Amino acid sequence: QRNAPEMFDNDIDKLMPSAQMLLFIFLLGRNKPLYLSEVSRQLHITAMSISRAANQLVQLGLVEHRKNGVRKYILSGATPSELFKRAKPWCVNPVRKMVFIDRNEVQADMFPAGLTALSAVSMLNPPSILTYGTVKNEKNYGSVRTELVDNESSVALQIWRYEPRQISLNNQANALSLYMSFTGNQDERIDQALDE
């Protein structure tokens, strides 16, 4: 029986969101061997999707794939910081889009994001406009605007490609996903906070 074709080719441009999540779980676990079946349960995605994600990381030379009986796992000889540096060119910005909504539309399932989240874990001052993140489509909100109209009554809302709290210990966006959400930033103060 022939294997199904892979969902990517040898010229990988960017990580699939599931591969990025798998990599970040591995890094946040300090590069200890990571069993794919556990990640599949944690992220509520199929074993096939996690296997594809692992294959992409292996194809880029970021991790190795091994088996313990029938259980597959990934490992790496690199330190977490070395591996993150090597992986960064393939990492995607987890924020798909940013819009503005009325403050009264903020919902309990949103999470602090952007400068709001970064200022909570660094020396940066909190921003004048709060930023939240969600994985819901912006069509779920009635007051969506692409431009900021009023600082007092509006908040910024980032629409994320994946749920960054699934790989976090404190119900906030995990540090690596938050870091990648500032891809393309030109502000030196923000760069210093990200390095922190």
Side-chain angles (χ1 to χ4, degrees), residues 107-172:
Q107 297 172 1
D109 62 357
M110 293 176 179
F111 51 90
L115 289 175
T116 301
L118 187 58
S119 67
V121 294
S122 72
M123 302 299 283
L124 265 188
N125 288 327
S128 58
I129 179 160
L130 293 173
T131 303
Y132 291 94
T134 184
V135 288
K136 288 183 181 172
N137 193 298
E138 65 269 22
K139 291 177 184 150
N140 286 293
Y141 310 98
S143 63
V144 174
R145 296 176 295 280
T146 54
E147 303 282 325
L148 176 62
V149 176
D150 177 26
N151 273 20
E152 295 296 311
S153 63
S154 301
V155 297
L157 182 65
Q158 295 180 344
I159 313 297
W160 281 55
R161 296 176 199 280
Y162 59 81
E163 175 52 84
R165 293 173 293 185
Q166 280 184 301
I167 50 180
S168 172
L169 300 174
N170 60 5
N171 206 31
Q172 302 292 323

Side-chain angles (χ1 to χ4, degrees), residues 7-163:
M7 297 303 288
F8 49 85
D9 57 35
N10 289 336
D11 300 320
I12 297 170
D13 184 34
K14 290 289 179 189
L15 289 176
M16 299 179 291
S18 57
Q20 184 156 307
M21 290 177 86
L22 176 61
L23 175 68
F24 288 178
I25 291 170
F26 184 63
L27 289 168
L28 293 167
R30 313 301 302 158
N31 288 20
K32 293 185 190 128
L34 181 63
Y35 284 89
L36 301 185
S37 56
E38 290 169 16
V39 179
S40 176
R41 279 193 298 276
Q42 182 180 345
L43 300 181
H44 309 294
I45 55 181
T46 65
M48 185 184 280
S49 293
I50 280 296
S51 187
R52 255 192 229 121
N55 287 342
Q56 196 179 36
L57 298 179
V58 169
Q59 202 171 344
L60 290 170
L62 298 172
V63 298
E64 295 173 45
H65 220 170
R66 298 275 169 82
K67 268 187 179 180
N68 181 359
V70 294
R71 297 179 71 210
K72 295 177 184 173
Y73 63 96
I74 56 171
L75 76 165
S76 169
T79 67
S81 60
E82 286 169 350
L83 187 54
F84 185 54
K85 276 186 196 138
R86 278 189 10 222
K88 263 203 292 193
W90 290 288
C91 287
V92 294
N93 185 332
V95 178
R96 207 167 35 81
K97 188 176 193 180
M98 185 154 98
V99 295
F100 298 91
I101 60 169
D102 289 345
R103 191 181 286 263
N104 62 12
E105 284 204 83
V106 171
Q107 297 172 1
D109 62 357
M110 293 176 179
F111 51 90
L115 289 175
T116 301
L118 187 58
S119 67
V121 294
S122 72
M123 302 299 283
L124 265 188
N125 288 327
S128 58
I129 179 160
L130 293 173
T131 303
Y132 291 94
T134 184
V135 288
K136 288 183 181 172
N137 193 298
E138 65 269 22
K139 291 177 184 150
N140 286 293
Y141 310 98
S143 63
V144 174
R145 296 176 295 280
T146 54
E147 303 282 325
L148 176 62
V149 176
D150 177 26
N151 273 20
E152 295 296 311
S153 63
S154 301
V155 297
L157 182 65
Q158 295 180 344
I159 313 297
W160 281 55
R161 296 176 199 280
Y162 59 81
E163 175 52 84

